[in-house]
Structure formats: structure tokens, C-alpha cells
Amino acid sequence: METETEARWWPVAAAGAGVIALCYGFARYAYGLFVPRFSATFGLTTVAVGVLGGLSTAGYGLGLLLSPKTSARSPRGTVLLAGAAATTGLALMAVAPGVAVFGAGIVVAGAGAGLVSPGVAQLIGEAVGARVRPRAQTWANTGTGLGLAASAFTPLLAFGWPAIWATFAVLGAAMTLLAWRTLPRTRPAEAATGPARGVAPLVVNSVLIGVTSAPYWTFSSSRLTEAGLSPAAATWCWFAIGAAGLLGGLAGRAAGRIGLRAANLATWTLAAAGIALLALPHPGLPGALVSGALFGVTYMALTGLCILWAARLFPTRPARGVTWSFAGLGAGQTVASPLAGAAASALGLGTVFGLTALVAMVAWSQLHARLAPPADVRRGPSPGTYLPDAPRGGHGAGRKAGRR
């Protein structure tokens, strides 16, 4: 018979997904869709656009730094704080009289994105039964896809961008209020002590996600235009990323059936195929849509699997592992974007996407046990796998698992 926490997992996952949609789909990623309009309003140069994008990353990093402590005290409060920060940032951007206030809004909105994923992961870890927890984690993570799909067509609206941003802020306030009424309160988690042993392979995997996703987020629209597709077609491809991303929630069930490592490697292979489609000389609209759909579902699945990976490393404090993971992802994206731009100038965008697809296949190095995710405890740990913060009778920093 299902326990109460197993039977009622979906309201928590749905509310978490809604706040993630707000923080990522609206407050973080929608910025790139409106850069031409922002540039026209504030007279921004290309350098200034890059600086504002850097402010978003700075706010994101600040949120990640704060999230472990706030999530330990109150994961519910952390999720609500993330929603409030995203809403406030969007509102500041909507009413900004100049670029200084606009930049401040970007920082605040970015901080919401940094806070939300660790907070949601910690809340689900405490409020949802163990049997359905992986499903709850990966379905909540698909909120990013929901936000991307919802914002995809907003640049085509006849309203000015301040009105659209104000609407985002109103929706954000409503979503945060709904989360306040829906999300359960939990007891503070036990303190996580000792070094973060065994986290390095997770960070490497996350950096690889950042390195391979950054060219797609930054240059996929330019590549489609270069290949002869219209702006409307590029918009449909962005929508395909978000809509297909909702299927990334199936990653939790897949990991439960075939194991975390097998699910991760299968997803990486599909991700490489989706990226490689944009390396074709003439992908056409069908190829572009398939590419966007594959990228969307695999990006959401890979980040969701990272959350499961983090939860296995830190069963009582998943927010700690998620913070490490998403910091690695952000670092990979930060480094890869300018490198991809430089490579595109020298080699062309098609070549960049082909090389990026090859880099994605580096993930198959996880066949080596020391680079692999930890095995399901029911299957026994992989050789050389560390299991820090695992439930134990005494205390200590964790132990190295025995070899088979």
C-alpha cells in the first residue's frame, strides 16, 4: 500500500516545476529572446549585451552559493524565496527607467534561478516517499521546459517588451502564491559534515552538460538562419525544445528500471545525435525540429539525472550535491560560449555543432567505474564509488564502498 508521501508526490512535484518554470523559462532564459528589443530600448552595444548576460550568471552563482544553507533551514522557504526573487527581478526589468535598474533586475532574477533547483530537490527529498522520489525529482526538473515552451512565442506578440515582462512578473507572483499554498513544511535536515567525497564525477558530468549545451543555447538560432530557415521556423524550434523537454521527466523511471549509469549514457547518445543534426549542411525544418526536440528532452533528462546522482551521494542533503552539480553546469556554459563563438568565426557554425556532438560522446568514459554515477543501493555500489552522507548509525564523513 502506498504511504501518504508516495501517494501525494505529484502536487509537490507540480508546484516545484511551476516555480522552476518561472525562474528558468521566464527569469533566466527568456532574456536571449528579447536581446534585439532590449538593445533598441537602451542603446546597448554587443559588449553591453554580453555584460548584462554576465550579470545574470553572477546572480545565478549568488543564488547557488546561498542555497545550501537556506535549503538546510527551510527548503520550502528557499523555493518561495526563489519565486519571489524571480518575480521581483522581472518587475524591476519591466519598469526600469535605465540600464542600471535593468541590470539590477537581471541579477535578482538570476539569483532566483540559482536558489530554486537545490531548494526543490531538498524539499522533495524530505517530503516525498523514497519509492517515488526519483520520479518526483525528474518531473519537477522539467519545469524549465514548460517555461521555455510558454515564452517561445512571446517575441512575436505586438506588445512592447515591458508589457510582456510585467505579465511575466504577474504570473510569477501567482505561481509563488500557489507554491506557498501547496508546498509542505518539513523539519530541518540533519547537518552535512565532512568533505564532499565522490562528488568529482558528478561535477565533471555537469561541466560536460554545460560545455555541450552552451553552443546550442547561444548559436542554434543563428545556425538555423544560416541554413536558410525563417525566424518563425527558429521560434518553432525553440518551442520544440521546451515542449519536448517535458518528456525529460521520464528519466526518473528509466533510471529506476535500467540503472542511473545506463540511463545517463543512453541520454548522452541521443543528445549527441540531436546536436549533430545542426552540423548537416541543410538540416531543413524537419531536421531542425527533431534536433530541437532531442536537445530539449535530453537536456532536461540529463539535468534531472544529475539531481538523482546528487541525491544518491547526499541522501539527507540533496541540495548540497545539486549545488555542486549546477555550479559545474554553469561553469561549463560560461567557458564554452565564447570558445564556441571563436571557433565559429574560424571554422563555421556547422563545424562547431559537429565538434560539440563529438565532445558529448566523452560521456561514455563513465563506463569506467570511477567516473560512473553511484549504483542503486539495491543493486550494490559500483567499484570505487563513494557514498558520503549515507544513513548510518554513527557519525563520520562517509566511507568508500567495498568492491564486488
Side-chain angles (χ1 to χ4, degrees):
M1 181 180 295
E2 286 186 321
T3 65
E4 182 179 356
T5 55
E6 289 174 343
R8 299 189 60 194
W9 67 270
W10 62 268
V12 179
V19 181
I20 288 174
L22 160 67
C23 293
Y24 280 99
F26 293 164
R28 182 156 169 81
Y29 288 136
Y31 169 82
L33 296 173
F34 285 81
V35 163
R37 297 198 191 187
F38 296 152
S39 299
T41 300
F42 297 112
L44 302 177
T45 63
T46 304
V47 174
V49 169
V51 169
L52 290 176
L55 290 177
S56 177
T57 301
Y60 180 70
L62 177 62
L64 283 175
L65 288 175
L66 294 174
S67 61
K69 290 186 177 180
T70 60
S71 296
R73 293 179 180 178
S74 172
R76 177 179 182 270
T78 300
V79 176
L80 296 178
L81 178 61
T87 301
T88 301
L90 290 167
L92 282 174
M93 295 168 72
V95 301
V99 71
V101 176
F102 186 80
I106 288 178
V107 173
V108 176
L115 286 165
V116 70
S117 291
V120 170
Q122 185 68 35
L123 181 62
I124 289 176
E126 295 179 10
V128 175
R131 189 171 66 87
V132 294
R133 195 175 297 150
R135 275 187 282 168
Q137 294 282 22
T138 51
W139 278 115
N141 184 63
T142 62
T144 300
L146 177 63
L148 291 173
S151 63
F153 295 101
T154 52
L156 302 180
L157 297 176
F159 305 106
W161 71 261
I164 295 172
W165 243 244
T167 302
F168 286 168
V170 171
L171 292 174
M175 187 63 247
T176 304
L177 178 61
L178 179 62
W180 176 74
R181 294 180 61 88
T182 303
L183 296 177
R185 299 179 185 273
T186 58
R187 294 181 179 179
E190 63 182 68
T193 58
R197 302 176 70 181
V199 79
L202 169 62
V203 174
V204 170
N205 183 73
S206 301
V207 170
L208 188 61
I209 296 173
V211 167
T212 54
S213 66
Y216 208 101
W217 289 122
T218 307
F219 297 110
S220 60
S221 294
S222 299
R223 172 59 185 148
L224 295 179
T225 301
E226 179 184 83
L229 297 182
S230 66
T235 299
W236 276 105
C237 291
W238 187 271
F239 175 79
I241 293 174
L246 298 176
L247 298 176
L250 296 172
R253 184 177 291 274
R257 290 189 174 183
I258 65 175
L260 184 54
R261 176 163 61 178
N264 202 48
L265 292 181
T267 305
W268 269 113
T269 304
L270 289 174
I275 295 168
L277 283 173
L278 293 194
L280 298 175
H282 302 288
L285 181 58
L289 289 173
V290 171
S291 174
L294 282 175
F295 177 77
V297 69
T298 56
Y299 183 81
M300 303 308 161
L302 287 170
T303 52
L305 291 170
C306 280
I307 293 172
L308 299 188
W309 189 334
R312 288 187 184 178
L313 290 175
F314 304 95
T316 62
R317 289 286 300 278
R320 188 183 185 197
V322 173
T323 298
W324 278 101
S325 174
F326 280 57
L329 191 155
Q333 289 180 333
T334 300
V335 171
S337 287
L339 288 179
S345 298
L347 304 173
L349 282 174
T351 302
V352 167
F353 280 99
L355 292 174
T356 302
L358 291 176
V359 171
M361 297 307 293
V362 171
W364 276 89
S365 61
Q366 291 172 18
L367 287 175
H368 192 288
R370 290 190 178 276
L371 297 176
D376 190 321
V377 293
R378 292 173 298 180
R379 302 168 186 244
S382 298
T385 298
Y386 287 96
L387 299 176
D389 284 10
R392 52 193 179 272
H395 47 271
R399 60 182 179 83
K400 189 174 183 180
R403 298 183 182 274
R404 289 178 180 172

